[in-house]
Amino acid sequence: MELCKVSVVVPAYNVGPYIAETLDSLMRQTLSGVEVIVVNDGSTDGTQAIIDKYCAENKNIRCFFQSNAGVSAARNFGLTQAGGRYVLFLDSDDLLTDTSLEAFYAALEKTGADAAIGRLQSFGSGAVKNNGYAESLAQKKEIGLFDRDLLWNFLVGNKCYRTEALLRSGVTFPGLKYSEEGVFFFEFIMRSEAKMTGVPGACMLYRRRDARGDASVTQTVSKALTLDFIESMSRIYAAADEALEREAVPAAERAAYLDEVIFKADNTVVTQFYRLLWQADEETLHLIRRAHERLNTRLTEPEQKRLGAMHTDIHEMYFDKREIAEKPKISVVIQGLTGDALARTLNAVYLQTMPYFEVLIGSQGSGVRDQDIPDRWRGCENLRLLPERGFKKAAKAKKVLIIKKERALDERLFRYLLRMPVPEPLKTIFFRPLAALTQAAISFLNK
């Protein structure tokens, strides 16, 4: 029997549209001696039927079923079943390029490292994009324990571990639903002082789902996710602080590294939580505000300016939705849309990652009533139904975007428009054509 070189653990929950593509990518691997362990975490769609088909056709795929307990529990169980010298965790909607496992195996065998880090490329909703931090790490033959690029690359699928070292460490995935991958990785490397190497020949393809329909965890906001993220970053900070002290890192270097942990946490609060505030209820928004304020006050002045430079479109942050409704940067005027077309367009608008907008819907000619607004957005402070005639004059923002046909707006559109290097007077005058051109450019990049 051939030696099992690499075990790939795939947790799966209701991923019928994606899992076949994931398993196909694993079956195309150029490395021999690969086993795939699929842990079905209580799926209620057609996921199990797809898994059964692949198991019947491929002897190196094993499947286990558990009642829904979360992705961490599924990964942890999969690790107990892994027979490979090395192990990699791949989510059931992501992919590996064909030579990735061969590249990981060769690098780990050659260097004797405990963990290897490959490249990372996103695809799906949004432009195909390489992750610069993962790209930098993958090019390094030796990766230092306190390399700051590690803080900006939490995703699990571009990392391959020495199974023995992982089991010896006792580290497992925590029962959290946000940044649990980061906790797992940092607690492992910091506690075990892991030797790490980069692997430029390996690349994980991260699927970014369409937030208008099948959004991923990182495209949604809730109180539970916010609390889990805060807990995750607290554990990462604690693991780093302990390792820095144990390694007797000089005080100035230690402080600088921990400042980067705090900066990473605050940036994520702004990027992944605050920017999606229209999905948050008042309690969640209050929690986001407290988290941001606590983190931001711990940043040095240069770091606060650095954060502001990354978010120039929302440099003045409002945590009261009514205040945003009174001071929008963009007025979105929707005319002539009803039914599902109106609902899909509103979803596309409210899932924008620049939240300072208002929505005006012409109601007279189209017959739109309050009950026609999707429950998710009905009652939003920035939404108004107005008579068709003259209702554009009611716009509070100087920049007005008029939508007369159903539009699948890229979620980054408003953010890009406000950050465009165009003089403000011209941007205001030509806002509508600029929006069309920007959306066309984004759509072109997404193909």
Side-chain angles (χ1 to χ4, degrees), residues 214-271:
D214 189 16
S216 65
V217 169
T218 54
Q219 293 169 295
T220 55
V221 175
S222 70
K223 177 183 177 182
L225 290 178
T226 307
L227 289 171
D228 276 5
F229 174 71
I230 294 169
E231 173 66 17
S232 293
M233 291 308 301
S234 295
R235 288 179 62 165
I236 290 168
Y237 185 96
D241 192 24
E242 181 182 328
L244 288 160
E245 183 175 2
R246 185 182 63 244
E247 296 296 313
V249 174
E253 294 179 27
R254 178 178 176 179
Y257 185 87
L258 293 175
D259 282 348
E260 188 74 3
V261 178
I262 297 169
F263 181 88
K264 156 75 178 186
D266 197 18
N267 181 65
T268 303
V269 167
V270 176
T271 302

Side-chain angles (χ1 to χ4, degrees), residues 23-79:
L23 294 176
D24 282 340
S25 83
L26 295 176
M27 293 302 98
R28 290 195 302 267
Q29 291 299 304
T30 57
L31 180 70
S32 61
V34 173
E35 72 167 355
V36 178
I37 301 167
V38 184
V39 183
N40 186 346
D41 186 39
S43 296
T44 57
D45 65 351
T47 294
Q48 186 61 49
I50 298 170
I51 297 170
D52 289 342
K53 176 178 181 295
Y54 276 83
C55 286
E57 296 173 353
N58 302 276
K59 294 182 179 180
N60 62 331
I61 300 180
R62 292 190 288 147
C63 176
F64 300 88
F65 185 93
Q66 67 178 27
S67 297
N68 182 247
V71 66
S72 289
R75 290 175 183 146
N76 290 335
F77 176 79
L79 177 59

Side-chain angles (χ1 to χ4, degrees), residues 104 107-108 113-118 158-161 195-199:
F104 274 130
L108 287 163
D114 301 307
I117 301 176
N158 71 324
K159 300 171 182 69
C160 191
Y161 301 88
K195 179 181 178 182
M196 292 174 284
T197 187
V199 186

Side-chain angles (χ1 to χ4, degrees), residues 17-247:
Y18 310 111
I19 192 167
E21 193 175 355
T22 296
L23 294 176
D24 282 340
S25 83
L26 295 176
M27 293 302 98
R28 290 195 302 267
Q29 291 299 304
T30 57
L31 180 70
S32 61
V34 173
E35 72 167 355
V36 178
I37 301 167
V38 184
V39 183
N40 186 346
D41 186 39
S43 296
T44 57
D45 65 351
T47 294
Q48 186 61 49
I50 298 170
I51 297 170
D52 289 342
K53 176 178 181 295
Y54 276 83
C55 286
E57 296 173 353
N58 302 276
K59 294 182 179 180
N60 62 331
I61 300 180
R62 292 190 288 147
C63 176
F64 300 88
F65 185 93
Q66 67 178 27
S67 297
N68 182 247
V71 66
S72 289
R75 290 175 183 146
N76 290 335
F77 176 79
L79 177 59
T80 68
Q81 302 301 311
R85 182 172 171 80
Y86 305 105
V87 61
L88 182 144
F89 302 91
L90 184 69
D91 285 349
S92 50
D93 56 352
D94 295 332
L95 316 172
L96 292 178
T97 55
D98 295 355
T99 59
S100 288
L101 293 183
E102 184 175 5
F104 274 130
Y105 182 79
L108 287 163
E109 287 285 285
K110 181 179 180 180
T111 63
D114 301 307
I117 301 176
R119 296 167 50 239
L120 173 61
Q121 185 181 86
S122 60
F123 74 104
S125 176
V128 173
K129 184 179 180 181
N130 290 318
N131 181 294
Y133 298 104
E135 196 77 30
S136 173
L137 291 166
Q139 304 300 326
K140 300 173 182 177
K141 292 182 179 180
E142 294 184 10
I143 300 173
L145 191 60
F146 304 113
D147 189 318
R148 294 191 195 184
D149 285 343
L150 295 170
L151 289 167
W152 298 90
N153 183 216
F154 284 0
L155 288 176
V156 71
N158 71 324
K159 300 171 182 69
C160 191
Y161 301 88
R162 185 176 297 275
T163 309
E164 180 186 5
L166 201 52
L167 293 173
R168 188 172 60 247
S169 74
V171 172
T172 58
F173 286 92
L176 302 169
K177 294 183 178 180
Y178 207 107
S179 292
E180 78 288 343
E181 301 144 309
V183 175
F184 174 79
F185 178 64
F186 270 84
E187 290 188 342
F188 169 65
I189 65 171
M190 293 295 176
R191 291 178 182 176
S192 62
E193 301 178 38
K195 179 181 178 182
M196 292 174 284
T197 187
V199 186
C203 183
M204 189 265 275
L205 305 178
Y206 169 70
R207 186 189 302 273
R208 185 169 175 79
R209 298 191 193 180
D210 189 338
R212 292 185 297 273
D214 189 16
S216 65
V217 169
T218 54
Q219 293 169 295
T220 55
V221 175
S222 70
K223 177 183 177 182
L225 290 178
T226 307
L227 289 171
D228 276 5
F229 174 71
I230 294 169
E231 173 66 17
S232 293
M233 291 308 301
S234 295
R235 288 179 62 165
I236 290 168
Y237 185 96
D241 192 24
E242 181 182 328
L244 288 160
E245 183 175 2
R246 185 182 63 244
E247 296 296 313

Side-chain angles (χ1 to χ4, degrees), residues 27 272 297 351 353 392:
M27 293 302 98
Q272 302 291 357
T297 55
L351 294 178
T353 57
K392 298 174 200 174

